[in-house]
Amino acid sequence: MDEAQRMSDAARRQLGFLSRAETAALARFGVVLPDPGSVLVCADAGLEEGVVLWPNVILQVSTGGRMAVGRGTNLFPGTRIVASGGSVTIGAGAEIGEEGGFTVKAGAGETIAVRDEARLLGGGSLTLSNRIGRGAQILGPIRCENCILGDGGSHREPEPDRRGGVLKGSGVARHVEVPRGHVIQAFGLFADAVIRPQSYFHPKP
C-alpha cells in the first residue's frame, strides 16, 4: 500500500467509512461496485445482495442511525444517503439518483421509508420523515419534507392509474400526500398545485 492510499484510508476511518479494501470486499456479499475507490460506505449500512453502488455514492450512518438497502437496488452516481440518528429503509429494486443524483437524510427521530421499485431521480432530496410507496416516483429537483406517496405498480405498469404516486417538476413539497395512480406536477410549491390522475399525462391512444 502506497502513502496516498494509507492517507486515504486514514481519512475514511476518521470519518467513519470503510477502507478501500473493506469497501471492495463488499463484493463477497453480492454487492456490485464498478469502482470501489470512489464509494464511501459506513460499516453499519446494511446492504443486501445485488445492490449496485455506482461511482460517487455515499452511505453514511452516525449517532445511532440505521440504514438498510434492499436486494437489487441501484444507487446511481451522486446519491448520498445519511442516517444521522434517524432511520432510512430502502426496499428491493429501487432506482435512486439517475439523472443528477439524489439526497436522502434522516436526522434524530426521523424515519424515511422508500419501498420496492420506487424511482427517485433528477437531483431531488428527502429530508425529515417521508414514506415513498411501492413503485412511487420523484422526478426532478424536488425537496420533499414529510411527504407520503402511495403504493402502486412501478413506472413499468402499463396502466398509469395503477402506478405508485408521483411528484414531478421542481420545487418544494411539504406535507404533500399523493395516492396511488395520481401525480402532482409543479414548479414551485407542490402543496399549491393540482393533483391529477396519471392517465392525464399518459392517455391511451
Side-chain angles (χ1 to χ4, degrees):
M1 182 186 300
D2 61 26
E3 182 64 19
Q5 187 168 338
R6 279 194 293 270
M7 292 177 65
S8 174
D9 282 345
R12 283 170 173 257
R13 292 193 177 96
Q14 182 180 351
L15 296 171
F17 296 110
L18 299 174
S19 69
R20 290 189 179 193
E22 290 166 338
T23 302
L26 293 172
R28 299 173 187 169
F29 304 98
V31 178
V32 181
L33 303 103
D35 184 10
S38 71
V39 174
L40 297 174
V41 181
C42 283
D44 291 335
L47 306 176
E48 293 191 8
E49 184 178 358
V51 170
V52 182
L53 303 182
W54 291 95
N56 302 316
V57 167
I58 299 174
L59 304 180
Q60 187 172 7
V61 183
S62 64
T63 324
R66 295 179 298 168
M67 182 187 301
V69 182
R71 180 185 299 267
T73 282
N74 263 274
L75 303 181
F76 289 96
T79 297
R80 180 175 179 241
I81 302 176
V82 180
S84 180
S87 172
V88 178
T89 304
I90 297 172
E95 300 176 23
I96 300 180
E98 196 169 19
E99 299 181 16
F102 208 91
T103 298
V104 178
K105 186 174 182 179
E110 297 167 357
T111 300
I112 295 177
V114 179
R115 297 200 63 193
D116 297 353
E117 297 188 280
R119 189 164 67 139
L120 315 178
L121 55 82
S125 68
L126 297 174
T127 58
L128 305 180
S129 291
N130 297 268
R131 184 188 183 279
I132 309 304
R134 183 178 62 253
Q137 301 178 76
I138 299 173
L139 310 176
I142 304 167
R143 180 172 182 173
C144 298
E145 301 174 351
N146 295 320
C147 292
I148 299 174
L149 303 186
D151 291 320
S154 75
H155 66 283
R156 300 178 183 87
E157 163 61 49
E159 291 292 336
D161 293 343
R162 295 180 182 174
R163 298 173 187 170
V166 175
L167 296 175
K168 67 177 182 177
S170 62
V172 178
R174 292 191 180 99
H175 301 283
V176 169
E177 184 169 353
V178 183
R180 183 182 80 159
H182 287 76
V183 55
I184 297 177
Q185 181 182 42
F187 301 91
L189 295 177
F190 279 72
D192 296 338
V194 176
I195 183 168
R196 293 185 171 96
Q198 292 188 37
S199 54
Y200 176 88
F201 292 96
H202 304 283
K204 291 185 178 180

